């Protein structure tokens, strides 16, 4: 019973994060309005699926994965709540306070980036680009500068795509028992 191999939950969390990040940042660059596609992905794939992935990382004894996936899953759920609650009669968020919220997530992500320095290169890139994304979004909202938010959107597209690449690299490399998509493994 002790030799049972557990599945890797990271690709699930990375896909939830990556796909939802791409959708939100298609909005940030101005290509699409904020709508139910982004909000639904934020709740179910970016939010709930990532939390599940984090809880499965707990079972594997991976504190980093637990912290990352449950935190970013909760990020997506809180972001959707921030966007939807005004439609339910709550006061709309202050744009500057939203900048502070995003800034705090940037600080958290920077610390998590340091934790990736012992991991593969693509994971390092995901967290570094996410740190830059949060910083730009925080600055854009604090300065009320839509141009900075648009630039952040492009960074977000790259960040989300890198998370999807890493997820598929982990799945395909395990499936084929060899490197199909290089992820810059540490040796």
């Amino acid at each position: 019973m002790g030799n049972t191999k557990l599945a890797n939950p990271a690709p699930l969390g990375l896909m939830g994060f990556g796909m939802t990040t791409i959708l939100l940042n298609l909005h940030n660059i101005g290509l699409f309005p904020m709508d139910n596609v982004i909000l639904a992905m934020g709740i179910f794939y970016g939010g709930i699926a990532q939390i599940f992935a984090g809880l499965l990382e707990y079972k594997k004894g991976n504190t980093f994965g637990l912290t990352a996936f449950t935190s970013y899953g909760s990020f997506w759920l809180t972001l959707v709540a921030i966007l939807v609650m005004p439609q339910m009669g709550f006061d709309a968020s202050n744009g500057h306070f939203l900048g502070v919220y995003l800034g705090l997530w940037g600080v958290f992500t920077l610390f998590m980036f340091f934790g990736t320095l012992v991991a593969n290169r693509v994971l390092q890139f995901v967290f570094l680009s996410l740190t830059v994304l949060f910083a730009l979004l925080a600055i854009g909202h604090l300065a009320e500068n839509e141009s900075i938010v648009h630039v952040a959107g492009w960074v977000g597209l790259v960040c989300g795509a890198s998370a999807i690449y890493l997820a598929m690299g982990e799945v395909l490399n395990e499936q084929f028992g060899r490197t199909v998509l290089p992820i810059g493994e540490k040796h």
Side-chain angles (χ1 to χ4, degrees):
M1 204 61 145
N3 292 339
T4 303
K5 180 182 178 210
L6 298 176
N8 180 4
L12 169 64
L14 288 163
M15 286 301 296
F17 169 79
M19 289 175 64
T20 310
T21 298
I22 285 176
L23 289 176
L24 178 61
N25 285 289
L26 287 171
H27 161 72
N28 285 340
I29 64 171
L31 197 56
F32 293 101
M34 178 62 67
D35 76 3
N36 291 334
V37 170
I38 298 167
L39 299 175
M41 280 288 278
I43 294 169
F44 295 102
Y45 206 31
I48 294 171
Q50 272 199 92
I51 290 172
F52 282 145
L55 295 175
L56 293 168
E57 290 285 6
Y58 168 84
K59 174 74 174 157
K60 293 186 77 171
N62 181 353
T63 302
F64 183 91
L66 165 71
T67 304
F69 290 130
T70 55
S71 294
Y72 293 114
S74 297
F75 163 79
W76 283 111
L77 293 175
T78 59
L79 183 63
V80 169
I82 289 166
L83 297 171
V84 170
M85 287 174 77
Q87 298 169 17
M88 301 164 70
F90 294 92
D91 290 337
S93 302
N94 175 305
H96 292 110
F97 203 31
L98 183 61
V100 172
Y101 164 85
L102 294 164
L104 284 172
W105 279 103
V107 170
F108 169 74
T109 303
L110 177 62
F111 278 101
M112 293 298 286
F113 164 72
F114 291 125
T116 70
L117 296 177
V118 296
N120 67 67
R121 297 286 185 228
V122 178
L123 187 65
Q124 292 171 20
F125 182 82
V126 169
F127 276 83
L128 183 60
S129 62
L130 184 57
T131 301
V132 172
L133 172 59
F134 277 127
L136 289 170
L137 287 172
I139 292 165
H141 284 281
L142 288 168
E144 297 179 9
N145 186 321
E146 195 63 31
S147 295
I148 295 173
V149 173
H150 285 293
V151 170
W154 290 103
V155 172
L157 292 175
V158 171
C159 177
S162 68
I164 291 170
Y165 176 88
L166 178 55
M168 291 300 92
E170 289 189 15
V171 168
L172 294 176
N173 294 350
E174 181 181 320
Q175 273 304 102
F176 288 94
R178 62 181 173 81
T179 300
V180 175
L181 294 176
I183 60 174
E185 290 285 355
K186 287 278 191 168
H187 297 287

